[in-house]
Each structure stands twice: as structure tokens, then as C-alpha cells.
Amino acid sequence: MPTLEQIRANMKKLQAQADALIAKKAQAAVDEIRKIMLAHGLTTEDIEAKAKARREAKVANGSAPTVKAKAANSLKGMTPPKYQHPKTGATWTGHGRAPAWIADSKNRDKFLIDSAGANTVSKAKTAVKKASAVTGGVGHKGQRTGPQPAKYLDPKTGAQWSGRGPAPAWLATAKDRTKFLIAGAAAVATEKTAARKAKSSAVSGAVAKKAAHKKGVAKKAA
């Protein structure tokens, strides 16, 4: 029984013989091609030019059907979605295996695209209404855009706010914003002014009364 080294040596010898036969056939083919080229006066540039022209013609003839076939296949694969999850927005065309969010549903009509779209619009309207209620009705339809007139006033600092956007610090923490309304703040300021005037008048009257009393005492003493 031959050893592993003997088998490898035989394989190496056979491979060398195969390489020699291949090279011999290749050389014969090259000689034949060269003979034909000399007979017809051809060069390698001529062969390359012919091959290039053939490739371009083949691509031009086969490109249009290929593009049409790809477009048709893409249109077939683009099946519009039929169902949609109202919370996650996931869609399903209705073909193939149903996803988990609709597979166990007894009534799939509520996941139809029209139904899901209506639910989304309804939720959006509800959110807008809540936001407008929080901001005091700001954002109603027909309200003008651009700079808004002042709606709230800080009676201490005189700072104003239109009621749109984030509330300032002096109003954000207030439980009752009505007392900061322009009319309410003006009334508070008027009341404070009137109170100061009344207090000043009272002080002035008391001083005048004391002065008159002292004057009367002085007359009696005289």
C-alpha cells in the first residue's frame, strides 16, 4: 500500500503533466488565433472594438424590457396598506400572515385605514381643545396671527403677557389667573391708589386736628 508521501508525489507529478498539457493547448490556440489575425490583417484593438460594440448593442436592446419588468414587479409589490394600528402607526396590507396587533382581534374593521385615520384625527382635535383650555382659549380658529395684545398684567412689576406660549414665572405658579387679567390688575392698582390717597388724607386730617387743638390750648392759656 503506497504511503502518503508517495501519493503526494504522484499527485504533484500528475499536476505538472496537466499543467504542461494545458499550456500546450493554450499555445496552440494562441498560434491559431495569431495565424487568423495575420491572415485577415486584424489587431487586438480591432477585436476589442468589435467586442465593445457588441456589448453596447446588447445592453441597449435588453435595457428597456428589463426596466419595464422591474417597474412592473415593483408596482406589484407596492400593495397599499389596508389596516393600521391607531397607537403605534403600524400597517398591514391584509395579505399574508397577520401581525400580532390584529391577529387576535375579532373585529378587524376598527383597524381599517379610514377608521384608524378618523381616530387619529379625533385624538388630535381633543388634544388641541385641551391645550386651548389650558392657555385660556388661545388658538381658536379665526384668531389673528402676529403680535397679540396683552391679556395679563403683573400689578407689582407691570410685566405683561398675551396668553400665548409658555406662561411667565409670575403667572405660571398662580392658581387663579383671573386676578392677573388686564382689567382685574387695573382694578387692583386703582384700589391700591385709592387706599394710599385715603390713608394720606387721614394722616393729614389728624395732623391738622392736632395743630388746631394745640392752637386752642394756647389761646386759653393766654
Side-chain angles (χ1 to χ4, degrees):
M1 184 175 180
T3 61
L4 180 61
E5 288 76 9
Q6 291 176 351
I7 292 174
R8 288 180 176 176
N10 292 333
M11 290 176 61
K12 189 175 181 180
K13 186 184 294 185
L14 293 173
Q15 186 63 41
Q17 293 177 1
D19 294 339
L21 290 174
I22 292 172
K24 187 176 181 180
K25 289 183 177 181
Q27 185 62 40
V30 170
D31 294 339
E32 185 67 22
I33 293 171
R34 186 177 182 185
K35 183 178 179 181
I36 295 172
M37 291 175 64
L38 291 174
H40 295 278
L42 300 174
T43 62
T44 55
E45 288 79 6
D46 297 332
I47 297 173
E48 181 61 28
K50 292 288 183 179
K52 185 177 180 181
R54 186 174 294 179
R55 288 195 299 268
E56 292 177 353
K58 186 176 180 181
V59 171
N61 293 333
S63 60
T66 303
V67 171
K68 291 181 179 179
K70 289 182 178 180
N73 293 332
S74 62
L75 290 176
K76 289 181 181 179
M78 292 175 61
T79 304
K82 186 178 181 182
Y83 301 95
Q84 184 179 23
H85 196 291
K87 294 182 180 180
T88 62
T91 58
W92 180 48
T93 60
H95 301 286
R97 185 177 181 181
W101 53 267
I102 198 175
D104 299 332
S105 178
K106 295 181 180 180
N107 183 16
R108 295 184 178 182
D109 294 339
K110 63 181 180 180
F111 292 102
L112 289 171
I113 290 294
D114 296 338
S115 177
N119 292 335
T120 304
V121 172
S122 177
K123 289 182 179 180
K125 289 183 178 179
T126 304
V128 171
K129 287 182 180 179
K130 290 182 179 179
S132 64
V134 171
T135 57
V138 177
H140 288 291
K141 186 177 180 181
Q143 187 176 7
R144 67 178 183 177
T145 58
Q148 300 293 321
K151 188 175 181 181
Y152 298 94
L153 173 69
D154 188 350
K156 295 181 180 179
T157 63
Q160 297 179 352
W161 182 49
S162 64
R164 299 188 63 181
W170 54 267
L171 186 61
T173 57
K175 294 181 179 180
D176 184 15
R177 295 186 178 183
T178 56
K179 63 181 181 180
F180 290 97
L181 291 170
I182 291 293
V188 172
T190 303
E191 290 179 359
K192 288 184 178 180
T193 302
R196 285 197 297 270
K197 288 183 178 180
K199 186 177 181 180
S200 178
S201 299
V203 171
S204 299
V207 171
K209 189 175 181 180
K210 287 181 179 180
H213 179 69
K214 288 181 179 180
K215 189 175 181 181
V217 171
K219 284 182 179 181
K220 288 180 179 181

